[in-house]
């Protein structure tokens, strides 16, 4: 079986997040804009339990696809959660609605290509 591309991985992770009831899931190709990752998967989550469940599903996906998580961080700013899963060529951002609106990654990375 051929190894999946970063794009295929990003889109499959996005589907996992949608299946897990994350909202406003977006995939951005940022490969031409930086040297440290190729794809952002951004999703809105509703609670700490919600992001923990989704993070577990993403981690299960990485294990099943022989991928390695480089860093798993949680950023808290004034109570707004931003949870990051760094899989190398794919970076997953699980964000509360408030944090998503405040940081507006899609606007910040507007030069990226929206894949989903």
């Amino acid at each position: 079986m051929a190894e999946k591309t970063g794009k295929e991985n990003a889109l499959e992770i996005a589907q996992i997040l949608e299946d897990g009831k994350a909202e406003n899931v977006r995939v951005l190709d940022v490969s031409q804009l930086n040297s440290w990752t190729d794809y952002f998967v951004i999703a809105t989550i509703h609670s700490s339990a919600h992001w923990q469940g989704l993070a577990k599903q993403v981690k299960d996906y990485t294990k099943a696809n022989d991928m390695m998580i480089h860093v798993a961080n949680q950023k808290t700013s004034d109570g707004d959660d931003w949870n990051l899963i760094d899989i190398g060529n794919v970076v997953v951002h699980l964000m509360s609605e408030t944090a998503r609106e405040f940081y507006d990654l899609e606007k910040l990375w507007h030069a990226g290509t929206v894949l989903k």
Side-chain angles (χ1 to χ4, degrees):
M1 185 170 159
E3 187 174 316
K4 294 178 185 174
T5 65
K7 179 178 178 179
E8 289 170 324
N9 287 321
L11 292 170
E12 287 180 8
I13 290 168
Q15 189 60 55
I16 289 168
L17 297 177
E18 284 185 340
D19 292 347
K21 306 297 185 217
E23 292 184 356
N24 199 17
V25 178
R26 295 286 175 263
V27 178
L28 301 178
D29 179 342
V30 294
S31 60
Q32 301 301 312
L33 306 176
N34 68 75
S35 61
W36 46 269
T37 194
D38 295 328
Y39 300 95
F40 282 169
V41 180
I42 308 166
T44 302
I45 49 93
H46 303 290
S47 67
S48 178
H50 191 209
W51 82 255
Q52 289 173 359
L54 291 173
K56 182 186 181 316
Q57 290 180 320
V58 170
K59 288 174 186 176
D60 290 346
Y61 175 88
T62 61
K63 286 179 189 172
N65 287 277
D66 239 6
M67 300 167 77
M68 187 172 78
I69 294 175
H70 299 284
V71 178
N73 284 329
Q74 178 177 353
K75 174 180 170 50
T76 303
S77 172
D78 298 328
D80 296 332
D81 291 328
W82 178 356
N83 306 284
L84 179 78
I85 304 170
D86 181 352
I87 313 167
N89 65 346
V90 178
V91 176
V92 180
H93 301 268
L94 302 176
M95 306 175 81
S96 69
E97 190 172 347
T98 305
R100 181 109 181 238
E101 289 173 9
F102 181 79
Y103 292 102
D104 199 357
L105 295 179
E106 290 95 334
K107 184 176 180 184
L108 184 65
W109 292 91
H110 69 277
T113 304
V114 177
L115 301 178
K116 179 171 180 49

